[in-house]
């Protein structure tokens, strides 16, 4: 291949129109070659704005859409996401494709195409690790802690009340997301991994210099508003595994949060949020002490105004 490879993003999104457009505008500004956006529910305003852009393929996932795919609408949103990502992979017009969510923003100090150009030709996919937003309003994120013998000790030092129960000190995933090299046979996406012929691909190599800025819990009101959905159908579901075995006192997020609420109500949930989000100044000081803070100014409103001026 001559020159840098092209890359694209596929995402199944729902929510307020400004949030969707900020997500897309940010990545257009980052230099994405193609955005494949699937609106999980009808949103005429978002569709109209996105459909006018030459780098965006947008679809409304209504009954007619799923009928055209010759399948019923999957009940779980995770299945809808991976179905759309896998479908897009088979038809993608780019060299690399990644699936990310509307609250995830790629970050790199140099063009992502240059980062991908350095990936060895024999690798089918590379992983991008997350950093998670602090509830500080200052564009600060806490870093991913690689798995190792000292991770749990460090997590419990930083988050003394709840760190035992929260994997890696993050509200959400540590696995990150995967860039998949296109053109390979029998590839299908999972939320954090790739399959080929139904078997997992070993996408362990990390894409150097690229982060996923995950705005899972950017403030208390947002986190609390999303909590019922996440407990019922999202990343805090009852069937998720605990951080440590239950025989050692472990609980998953569903068990932990429902217990906190039952015993201490909204004040207990707020204490949990303040510690894990870094809103607690003592937690933030410990994150700084251990060199675990990153400044990532996304400037979402400015990029919305630049790329979708009629919607700003």
């Amino acid at each position: 291949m001559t020159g840098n490879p092209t890359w694209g993003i596929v995402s199944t999104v729902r929510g307020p129109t400004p949030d969707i457009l900020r997500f897309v505008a940010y990545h257009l500004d980052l230099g994405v070659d193609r955005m494949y956006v699937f609106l999980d529910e009808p949103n005429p305003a978002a569709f109209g704005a996105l459909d006018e852009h030459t780098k965006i393929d947008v679809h409304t996932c209504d009954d007619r859409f799923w009928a055209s795919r010759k399948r019923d609408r999957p009940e779980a949103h995770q299945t809808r996401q991976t179905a759309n990502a896998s479908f897009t992979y088979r038809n993608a017009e780019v060299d690399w494709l990644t699936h990310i969510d509307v609250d995830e923003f790629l970050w790199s100090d140099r063009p992502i195409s240059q980062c991908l150009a350095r990936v060895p030709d024999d690798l089918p996919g590379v992983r991008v690790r997350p950093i998670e937003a602090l509830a500080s309003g200052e564009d600060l994120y806490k870093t991913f802690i690689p798995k190792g013998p000292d991770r749990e000790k460090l997590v419990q030092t930083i988050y003394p009340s709840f760190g035992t129960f929260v994997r890696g000190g993050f509200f959400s995933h540590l696995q990150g997301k995967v860039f998949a090299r296109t053109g390979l046979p029998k590839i299908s996406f999972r939320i954090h991994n790739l399959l080929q012929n139904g078997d997992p691909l070993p996408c362990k190599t990390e894409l150097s210099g690229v982060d996923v800025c995950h705005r899972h819990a950017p403030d208390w009101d947002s986190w609390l508003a999303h909590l019922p959905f996440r407990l019922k159908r999202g990343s805090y579901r009852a069937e998720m595994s605990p951080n440590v075995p239950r025989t050692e006192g472990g609980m998953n997020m569903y068990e932990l949060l429902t217990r906190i609420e039952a015993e201490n109500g909204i004040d207990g949930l707020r204490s949990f949020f303040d510690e894990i989000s870094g809103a607690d100044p003592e937690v933030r000081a410990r994150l700084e002490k251990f060199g675990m803070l990153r400044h990532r100014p996304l400037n979402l409103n400015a990029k919305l105004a630049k790329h979708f001026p009629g919607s700003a």
Side-chain angles (χ1 to χ4, degrees):
M1 179 185 297
T2 59
N4 291 327
T6 57
W7 62 282
I9 292 170
V10 55
S11 189
T12 300
V13 302
R14 65 189 306 166
T17 298
D19 289 350
I20 295 171
L21 297 185
R22 287 187 190 98
F23 167 77
V24 175
Y26 173 84
H27 289 102
L28 289 172
D29 209 73
L30 191 64
V32 69
D33 293 289
R34 201 81 188 158
M35 292 283 295
Y36 302 92
V37 181
F38 293 83
L39 299 171
D40 200 34
E41 58 188 4
N43 186 329
F47 185 95
L50 297 172
D51 193 44
E52 293 180 358
H53 202 288
T54 57
K55 286 190 174 183
I56 301 169
D57 289 344
V58 59
H59 306 270
T60 296
C61 300
D62 53 15
D63 291 341
R64 184 171 62 178
F65 169 84
W66 291 109
S68 73
R69 300 273 290 275
K70 296 181 173 56
R71 64 180 298 176
D72 293 332
R73 179 180 185 269
E75 179 65 25
H77 73 277
Q78 296 93 341
T79 306
R80 300 194 296 274
Q81 289 174 323
T82 57
N84 289 333
S86 299
F87 172 81
T88 300
Y89 178 89
R90 294 191 291 272
N91 301 279
E93 300 171 335
V94 289
D95 300 313
W96 291 88
L97 183 69
T98 187
H99 164 263
I100 58 176
D101 294 330
V102 73
D103 62 352
E104 296 176 323
F105 299 84
L106 298 172
W107 175 277
S108 178
D109 288 329
R110 65 178 187 270
I112 287 180
S113 59
Q114 292 181 13
C115 301
L116 291 168
R118 297 186 174 191
V119 177
D121 292 340
D122 61 341
L123 290 182
V126 285
R127 189 168 297 278
V128 183
R129 290 292 183 183
I131 57 177
E132 197 173 72
L134 267 66
S136 66
E138 300 174 74
D139 298 314
L140 292 177
Y141 292 77
K142 54 186 176 182
T143 63
F144 166 77
I145 306 172
K147 190 174 182 179
D150 298 325
R151 182 165 79 176
E152 293 308 313
K153 181 180 179 181
L154 179 58
V155 169
Q156 291 173 31
T157 298
I158 296 170
Y159 313 99
S161 297
F162 301 106
T164 300
F165 307 104
V166 180
R167 187 172 284 112
F170 274 29
F171 285 105
S172 190
H173 64 84
L174 300 178
Q175 302 98 312
K177 296 298 176 75
V178 173
F179 271 91
R181 189 189 300 274
T182 59
L184 302 175
K186 305 295 184 181
I187 294 291
S188 58
F189 271 84
R190 293 298 180 263
I191 299 297
H192 303 290
N193 295 292
L194 295 176
L195 304 182
Q196 187 171 41
N197 291 312
D199 297 321
L201 282 173
C203 300
K204 296 183 178 181
T205 300
E206 298 183 12
L207 189 59
S208 177
V210 183
D211 299 322
V212 178
C213 299
H214 194 182
R215 296 180 60 77
H216 176 87
D219 57 69
W220 162 249
D221 290 337
S222 173
W223 183 78
L224 191 63
H226 285 87
L227 183 57
F229 176 85
R230 287 169 173 161
L231 288 168
K232 185 177 181 180
R233 292 189 287 173
S235 53
Y236 306 161
R237 302 188 307 280
E239 63 266 29
M240 304 297 280
S241 60
N243 185 31
V244 297
R246 289 188 173 86
T247 56
E248 299 176 17
M251 292 183 283
N252 63 23
M253 287 285 274
Y254 179 90
E255 294 161 340
L256 174 65
L257 293 172
T258 53
R259 181 171 177 176
I260 289 173
E261 185 173 21
E263 294 181 354
N264 298 295
I266 197 73
D267 290 340
L269 291 174
R270 184 61 190 258
S271 295
F272 170 82
F273 174 83
D274 284 352
E275 179 171 286
I276 302 302
S277 73
D280 182 330
E282 294 184 2
V283 173
R284 175 172 163 171
R286 288 191 288 269
L287 288 167
E288 188 169 10
K289 173 185 175 182
F290 288 107
M292 294 177 57
L293 293 181
R294 299 291 182 270
H295 184 232
R296 298 290 185 262
L298 303 182
N299 299 318
L300 297 179
N301 287 330
K303 290 166 186 177
L304 173 65
K306 175 181 175 180
H307 293 279
F308 299 104
S311 302

